[in-house]
Amino acid sequence: MRIHRDPDSLSRALAVLLFLAACAWLGAGFWERLEEPQTLPVTLSHLRESSRLSGIAVREEELFCPEQDPAGLPAAGTRLAAGETLCRFPDGSMEILRAPAHFFPDWDGLEHLDPSRLFPFDAARAAGLLQTEPERPSSACGRLVFSSVWYYAARLEEGAIPAPQSRCRLLADGPERELEALVLAVAEDASGCYVLLRLDEGSAACLGLRRFDAELVIREYSGLSLPARAIRQDPAGKNSIDILYAGLVETRSVDILYREGDLCLVEAAALPAGSRVIVPKEG
């Protein structure tokens, strides 16, 4: 008995086997991705965009240089009203204040730096101001500060450049101080970048600042930290991510608060606690 083999049938059988093998391979890969997606835990992060400054405080003040030895000088930081007695002298005369002022028994020889020297603000003016040498009058026994408004002219050593007329926070070095500041001007030339800030904090501690370094906090962000590749954007520009939550895959819309390189911060309310974000494998 002779068996007739149809070549076409063998080819079809072989094609079916190859097709089934390919489906099994693809199915296994899909099942593996479905069962074990690459996920990352969602963490809350805080980022600060800031710059480092080195500068000098300028305020409306003057040295107190009496011709006689004063008696009864007030304590450091005492605020006196116009017309009040600052001190008495051996001959019976008194020093009467012409305007409200804070008195400080210390001085540094830079009290002659008047705020009018700051304007118009430019890089050359700022650089010259930072190099000012102190004066050393022999008869000084304190200083009078006439305004709680003061200025900080500084060189930007590193970091982001603030926008003029923006409000920032100034973290002064030395004794930890946090001050609200208004950026009045920014100027640049070949020597560097300089900023001029206005500060309204008139406490005795702040009015004692002169040359100091500080961190200028320009913006702060608080949100969920995600890799950028986890975020998809549709043609309408809306962003979304896939998350694994309670064993199920869900798609959630997100608003990006901050993005740099492969790092994104999204609104914390976008994801439920305990969820994990699904991240496409690189490459």
Side-chain angles (χ1 to χ4, degrees), residues 5 52 63 86 106 149-150 176 211 213-214 222-224 268 273:
R5 292 181 174 86
R52 293 295 304 174
L63 283 175
L86 176 62
D106 62 312
V149 175
W150 54 286
E176 187 77 9
R211 296 187 189 272
D213 296 338
S222 181
L224 301 176

Side-chain angles (χ1 to χ4, degrees), residues 104-204:
F104 296 89
D106 62 312
W107 51 278
D108 57 17
L110 293 170
E111 288 75 17
H112 63 284
L113 293 178
D114 187 84
S116 63
R117 295 182 58 178
L118 297 169
F119 306 99
F121 187 77
D122 57 37
R125 185 183 295 268
L129 189 72
L130 295 178
Q131 296 173 7
T132 303
E133 294 293 330
E135 298 178 351
R136 299 295 183 188
S138 59
S139 61
C141 59
R143 61 191 173 98
L144 294 166
V145 180
F146 294 103
S147 176
S148 60
V149 175
W150 54 286
Y151 302 88
Y152 182 57
R155 176 185 170 89
L156 194 150
E157 302 294 346
E158 62 178 4
I161 299 176
Q165 300 306 310
S166 62
R167 290 204 168 272
C168 306
R169 289 191 302 121
L170 188 72
L171 306 181
D173 290 350
E176 187 77 9
R177 298 184 180 99
E178 181 176 325
L179 309 170
E180 296 297 323
L182 174 65
V183 181
L184 292 182
V186 177
E188 293 183 78
D189 67 3
S191 67
C193 179
Y194 301 86
V195 299
L196 178 62
L197 308 179
R198 170 181 163 143
L199 301 104
D200 298 326
E201 174 60 60
S203 67

Side-chain angles (χ1 to χ4, degrees), residues 191-240:
S191 67
C193 179
Y194 301 86
V195 299
L196 178 62
L197 308 179
R198 170 181 163 143
L199 301 104
D200 298 326
E201 174 60 60
S203 67
C206 292
L207 296 179
L209 293 169
R210 180 67 75 191
R211 296 187 189 272
F212 63 96
D213 296 338
E215 179 183 5
L216 184 66
V217 180
I218 299 171
R219 280 179 291 272
E220 292 183 282
Y221 305 91
S222 181
L224 301 176
S225 177
L226 303 174
R229 66 182 186 278
I231 300 176
R232 300 191 307 274
Q233 188 176 77
D234 64 18
K238 294 184 178 180
N239 299 302
S240 63

Side-chain angles (χ1 to χ4, degrees), residues 24-122:
W25 180 79
L26 291 173
F30 174 77
W31 182 257
E32 180 182 0
R33 290 193 298 272
L34 184 63
E35 290 296 309
E36 298 181 5
Q38 182 179 355
T39 64
L40 291 175
V42 176
T43 57
L44 184 64
S45 299
H46 305 278
L47 293 179
R48 174 183 291 174
E49 187 177 1
S50 64
S51 55
R52 293 295 304 174
L53 305 177
S54 180
I56 188 170
V58 178
R59 57 182 70 88
E60 187 182 346
E61 61 186 337
E62 64 182 35
L63 283 175
F64 178 49
C65 302
E67 296 180 356
Q68 304 178 56
D69 292 333
L73 285 170
T78 300
R79 189 179 190 281
L80 302 170
E84 280 196 72
T85 299
L86 176 62
C87 64
R88 298 178 181 276
F89 299 109
D91 65 359
S93 62
M94 298 178 294
E95 181 74 25
I96 306 298
L97 288 182
R98 57 180 172 79
H102 285 82
F103 174 78
F104 296 89
D106 62 312
W107 51 278
D108 57 17
L110 293 170
E111 288 75 17
H112 63 284
L113 293 178
D114 187 84
S116 63
R117 295 182 58 178
L118 297 169
F119 306 99
F121 187 77
D122 57 37

